[in-house]
């Protein structure tokens, strides 16, 4: 089974609130480096962290993260 990477809207959501990565990290109880890695799509958050992010922004997980359907190994391409 091929894993499809996720696209994240986290940077946009954070910017709308005028929060730094450090501010968001504090709200989520994670490091600033974790926020950076999620925003640059170098790290996919655990399910529990994804729920915390969605809850913080009062959104559904699928509104914050979506599959990257441009990924070259995506079975729907």
């Amino acid at each position: 089974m091929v894993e499809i990477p996720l696209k994240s809207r986290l940077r946009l959501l954070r910017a709308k609130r005028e929060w730094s990565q450090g501010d968001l990290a504090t709200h989520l109880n994670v490091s600033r480096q974790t926020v950076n890695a999620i925003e640059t799509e170098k790290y996919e958050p655990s399910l529990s962290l994804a729920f915390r992010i969605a809850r913080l922004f009062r959104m559904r997980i699928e509104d914050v993260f979506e599959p990257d359907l441009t990924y070259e190994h995506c079975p729907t391409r």
Side-chain angles (χ1 to χ4, degrees):
M1 175 183 271
V2 175
E3 286 192 34
I4 301 171
L6 296 176
K7 284 187 172 184
S8 167
R9 297 183 56 219
L10 191 56
R11 184 184 311 240
L12 174 67
L13 296 169
R14 177 178 60 78
K16 283 184 179 181
R17 294 200 178 186
E18 298 182 352
W19 287 348
S20 68
Q21 288 181 342
D23 294 334
L24 179 56
T26 298
H27 284 286
L28 296 171
N29 197 30
V30 298
S31 69
R32 184 202 57 79
Q33 291 84 353
T34 297
V35 171
N36 179 271
I38 294 169
E39 288 186 352
T40 58
E41 299 173 359
K42 294 178 180 170
Y43 171 74
E44 293 183 1
S46 66
L47 188 55
S48 64
L49 179 54
F51 270 110
R52 290 197 331 257
I53 292 167
R55 192 174 309 120
L56 178 64
F57 290 104
R58 297 184 177 167
M59 300 176 79
R60 299 177 311 161
I61 289 176
E62 56 266 39
D63 294 330
V64 179
F65 301 98
E66 63 183 1
D68 182 356
L69 299 179
T70 65
Y71 182 62
E72 66 184 55
H73 300 295
C74 181
T76 60
R77 267 186 86 196

